[in-house]
Amino acid sequence: MKKRICILYTGGTIGMVPTPKGYAPRPGYLGPVLAAMPELTGPEAPDWELVEMDPLLDSSNIAVDEWNAVGRAIFERYNDYDGFVVLHGTDTMAYTAGALSFMLENLQKPVVLTGSQIPLCRLRSDGRENLITSLIIAAQGKAAEVCLYFGGKLLRGCRAVKRSADGLRAFSSPNYPPLAIAGVNIRYDEAALCRPEPEGPPALVPFDNVPIGVLKVFPGIQFDLFEPIMTSRLRGIVLETFGAGNIPDTRGALPPLIRKAGQNGAVLTVCSQCFEGGVLLGKYAASAALTAAGAVSGCDMTTEAAVAKLYYLFSKGLTAAEVKGLMCRSLRGELTAEDT
Ligand code: ASP
């Protein structure tokens, strides 16, 4: 029997059309385009249905409310389909992939995010291949998790980053091997597919608009400028540090700032600005202030995943201490724990 796949269209280039202001999604446009693609209606294709989100958005506008709407749309249809394909703009696709990875607990069916750099209305669109292969991956059911397919690679959703603004291989997961490579055949990496086991029936954890922040450290950063953001409202901050978790500490400027965040009870998660590798607090003295201030290592987690994880853990109603304890533990295969 043919597998049934739900295609959720959130917006993004794949279904955009030119407008006087530039490309934008148009409600009702994508359905007829997909219905007219012979590859999608032929005997090899799974059965699929399209659900269009309202409003359709450039993914720059997708945030917590839209993540919740997509998560709810999947959860409500969970038993009706064998898998899901989420069509999404590329700009924030990695953030949404991270958010859905956490929000959909105990997932046992594939949720594949994809999109394109060139709209389907253009001759050279990469959307056709991305969509068709994503549908097949969703129907095969081997990657029963939130993943992202783009340009020939299937990536773990909570490990993905957008690395190119114009390349057709726009995504990678620098600290984790692809779950599958789509060449002549779709070759899955069985070892890479391993992840923490589901602990119960599927569940949805809608996110709250938790006040969190991301601060990227740079040479010459004037920390005092950022001190006003460290109010008691801020519940978590992702600090993008140099290399293995280092910060400029020589002028003593950062520690008070960091200490203030700690005193306010904000969970300080340390990520690296490097594309590959991760944080190892204590390797250099330049990370000592972070450890002293009670910061937690994000290990090799991406900023995208760290942001999504903070939203998730706080939305579950956990205390700052509990959130801190879980930030450095793998919940969905989003990080490799530090070698100590
Ligand atoms: N700005 C578009 C979006 O993220 C880019 C894309 O889809 O490639 O919605």
Side-chain angles (χ1 to χ4, degrees):
M1 211 169 86
K2 276 197 168 193
K3 295 285 178 67
R4 279 169 57 77
I5 306 301
C6 177
I7 302 175
L8 281 162
Y9 179 45
T10 67
T13 295
I14 190 162
M16 284 187 179
V17 291
T19 75
K21 288 185 182 165
Y23 284 123
R26 184 197 290 161
Y29 167 78
L30 193 65
V33 171
L34 300 191
M37 283 170 62
E39 309 92 305
L40 295 186
T41 47
E44 281 182 292
D47 287 337
W48 55 270
E49 278 165 49
L50 179 70
V51 175
E52 198 169 275
M53 302 303 286
D54 179 23
L56 294 175
L57 294 169
D58 185 295
S59 74
S60 321
N61 293 312
I62 287 186
V64 170
D65 291 346
E66 291 74 27
W67 292 340
N68 289 340
V70 175
R72 215 175 302 115
I74 293 171
F75 190 66
E76 284 168 357
R77 293 168 178 80
Y78 190 78
N79 294 324
D80 302 333
Y81 294 94
D82 298 296
F84 296 83
V85 171
V86 179
L87 299 179
H88 195 286
T90 59
D91 289 346
T92 66
M93 194 188 294
Y95 285 93
T96 300
L100 293 177
S101 299
F102 293 111
M103 180 181 287
L104 295 164
E105 293 183 332
N106 303 318
L107 191 66
Q108 295 186 45
K109 294 181 181 181
V111 172
V112 187
L113 283 94
T114 195
S116 70
Q117 295 274 51
I118 308 173
L120 280 169
C121 65
R122 295 285 181 217
L123 188 60
R124 286 190 57 243
S125 177
D126 50 332
R128 230 165 255 103
E129 197 283 320
N130 284 344
L131 171 57
I132 293 165
T133 304
S134 296
L135 270 175
I136 292 170
I137 288 167
Q140 287 176 335
K142 281 184 76 88
E145 59 180 283
V146 175
C147 36
L148 187 156
Y149 177 77
F150 213 93
K153 283 185 190 165
L154 182 69
L155 309 173
R156 173 156 290 161
C158 53
R159 290 283 196 162
V161 289
K162 183 174 180 182
R163 57 185 280 272
S164 172
D166 59 3
L168 301 187
R169 293 187 187 150
F171 290 85
S172 63
S173 53
N175 283 321
Y176 201 74
L179 303 181
I181 302 280
V184 172
N185 298 307
I186 299 172
R187 270 186 292 111
Y188 290 90
D189 179 337
E190 299 294 338
L193 284 168
C194 288
R195 67 192 180 110
E197 283 292 312
E199 288 170 351
L204 177 74
V205 180
F207 287 4
D208 299 328
N209 264 301
V210 182
I212 59 171
V214 176
L215 182 62
K216 181 168 183 165
V217 171
F218 59 92
I221 184 170
Q222 295 173 42
F223 288 110
D224 52 321
L225 294 177
F226 298 95
E227 205 146 345
I229 70 166
M230 296 290 176
T231 67
S232 53
R233 282 192 60 217
L234 192 75
R235 301 196 59 199
I237 183 153
V238 178
L239 202 63
E240 277 196 10
T241 59
F242 302 131
N246 304 312
I247 53 167
D249 58 356
T250 44
R251 288 172 211 155
L254 183 58
L257 183 86
I258 295 298
R259 213 175 300 127
K260 190 169 164 194
Q263 279 163 359
N264 289 342
V267 175
L268 244 157
T269 305
V270 185
C271 288
S272 175
Q273 296 174 14
C274 294
F275 200 58
E276 284 176 1
V279 166
L280 193 54
L281 294 178
K283 181 172 181 192
Y284 292 96
S287 66
L290 291 170
T291 315
V296 60
S297 168
C299 305
D300 60 354
M301 196 163 38
T302 62
T303 297
E304 288 86 334
V307 164
K309 195 168 175 179
L310 281 175
Y311 276 122
Y312 168 67
L313 294 173
F314 279 115
S315 300
K316 280 178 78 78
L318 302 180
T319 64
E322 289 167 329
V323 171
K324 201 177 141 185
L326 289 170
M327 282 308 282
C328 53
R329 266 189 43 201
S330 170
L331 302 180
R332 305 281 189 274
E334 74 279 10
L335 60 81
T336 318
E338 281 174 7
D339 297 331
T340 42

